[in-house]
Amino acid sequence: METGMNLRIDKIVFLLAILGLSTTGAAKAADCPPIGSLPNYIGEPKPTLHNHNTSDFKVKRGEETENISVAGKKCFQAYRLKDDAQAMSDIEIQTNYREQVKKLGGQILFADEHNMTGKIVKGAQETWVAVYNEERLIEVTVVDKAAFKPSLLPPSGSDYRLAGRMPKFVADPPVKRNFDKVAFKIHDGDDTREVQVAGARHSVAYRAANPREGASPLEVQENYKATFLAAGGQVVFSEPNLIVMRLEDKGQSIWVSVYAEESLIELTAIEEKPFQSSVQPPTASALKTALDKDGRVSLYINFDFNKAALKPDAAPIIEQVVKLLKDNPALKLEIGGHTDNIGGRDYNVKLSGSRAGSVVSALAAQGIDAKRLNAAGYGPDKPVTTNDTDEGRAKNRRVELVKS
């Protein structure tokens, strides 16, 4: 008997909602447009707004339910029942919101006792709506689907010289050190490890001027990633709140980490000090002595970051190798390229091979018969020391001459 009565009450509530006797009204300042709110349910003075974020929406596919991740401009608002006000039933709350989505021209993609997913399409704009409720609580999420658009401001004031700040964020006084050491996380295959990097440090924290109008960690990461990728860098680690990038600027190897919460951003940059052992190029006679003794000798030749192009300061070393080969016309060499272990192995093997090829081309351009030379790329497979320090990584990034 009680079940039948509840069914009749539910039907009455549904009819009342269709008749508009307790429907959500037009969106107000505290709401997430175009979705309004119910009487006696009070939201925060302002909803939480993100210019770019993602949210998962439940969608019914036949008998199955799946989550669809939608990215774009996101709004979230939670409503709580007024003190001493009478709560609505779950079905009354859900029916009101479902009917509003339909009146806005949308469709319901998922519905159960406590949840609803709706999608509204107006021209090229696609808006996704999720409503979760209990009798005394309603949570509304709205995402206007859109592609990411960079919004990072140009560097100024307390900012690091290569990256600005997010709009509506204020910088704390920066921490600057002429020489310091910081541990950076990197991906190593399926594992994660830390590497110690030493050099000049610039750290700065940013705080949202209004915590409810900050930026999602995703938006922060996408902005800084776009900036450093455009400068020729690469991402060596990423997780929901942290991204680590590595790049080279004017011959300087630079590491940058960006940690982000919705109203807090922490950026740390280390500009590695140049490795000293490669400053003086070896002479042709010293190269010959090392080859006669060990059958191989390491050269520290500078290339453009993540590229195979030789830097101008490689010319004196190339000149000595040319002299070595001209003074010893019977000598044949393998030119072996080697890298540290930062980044993917396959990528590093390919890069090291290309760099070895660039050295062969430079020697051939100065009259050395290419048949006397063989280029090979070993990537990170043959380190001469640890990769856990900046000094060790600098030694491992080398070109080896090996007697054929």
Side-chain angles (χ1 to χ4, degrees), residues 35 77 96 101 150 157 206-207 214 231 235 242 264 296 351 361 371 375 380 404:
I35 302 302
Q77 181 62 291
N96 270 285
V101 169
Y206 301 95
R207 303 178 195 280
V235 176
L242 177 67
L264 173 66
R296 66 182 61 234
L351 177 64
S361 296
K371 293 179 181 179
S404 298

Side-chain angles (χ1 to χ4, degrees), residues 73-130:
K73 187 174 182 179
K74 180 177 178 180
C75 178
F76 173 81
Q77 181 62 291
Y79 302 90
R80 288 172 175 77
L81 187 66
K82 287 182 181 178
D83 293 339
D84 301 325
Q86 181 176 337
M88 292 183 177
S89 67
D90 293 326
I91 191 170
E92 184 178 9
I93 294 171
Q94 281 293 323
T95 302
N96 270 285
Y97 280 101
R98 293 170 199 174
E99 288 304 306
Q100 191 191 25
V101 169
K102 292 177 183 177
K103 288 179 181 179
L104 291 169
Q107 60 182 133
I108 306 303
L109 303 180
F110 177 84
D112 64 16
E113 184 179 2
H114 297 284
N115 296 276
M116 178 271 287
T117 296
K119 184 171 76 170
I120 304 165
V121 179
K122 299 286 186 182
Q125 181 59 59
E126 192 174 297
T127 299
W128 289 69
V129 179

Side-chain angles (χ1 to χ4, degrees), residues 324-384:
L324 166 72
L325 289 162
K326 287 184 176 180
D327 290 347
N328 300 273
L331 181 62
K332 294 183 179 181
L333 294 175
E334 177 191 88
I335 311 298
H338 301 265
T339 69
D340 57 30
N341 66 348
I342 306 300
R345 178 188 175 277
D346 291 345
Y347 176 85
N348 281 332
V349 169
K350 182 179 179 180
L351 177 64
S352 63
S354 298
R355 287 178 168 177
S358 293
V359 173
V360 169
S361 296
L363 296 172
Q366 295 196 39
I368 302 300
D369 187 351
K371 293 179 181 179
R372 298 173 62 190
L373 308 170
N374 176 52
Y378 298 99
D381 294 346
K382 295 185 176 183
V384 293

Side-chain angles (χ1 to χ4, degrees), residues 257-269:
S257 71
V258 179
Y259 173 80
E261 299 175 2
E262 294 196 359
S263 58
L264 173 66
I265 302 169
E266 295 176 339
L267 181 148
T268 295

Side-chain angles (χ1 to χ4, degrees), residues 185-199:
K185 287 185 175 181
I186 66 168
H187 291 301
D188 186 3
D190 294 332
D191 297 324
T192 296
R193 63 186 179 86
E194 290 187 343
V195 294
Q196 299 287 332
V197 183

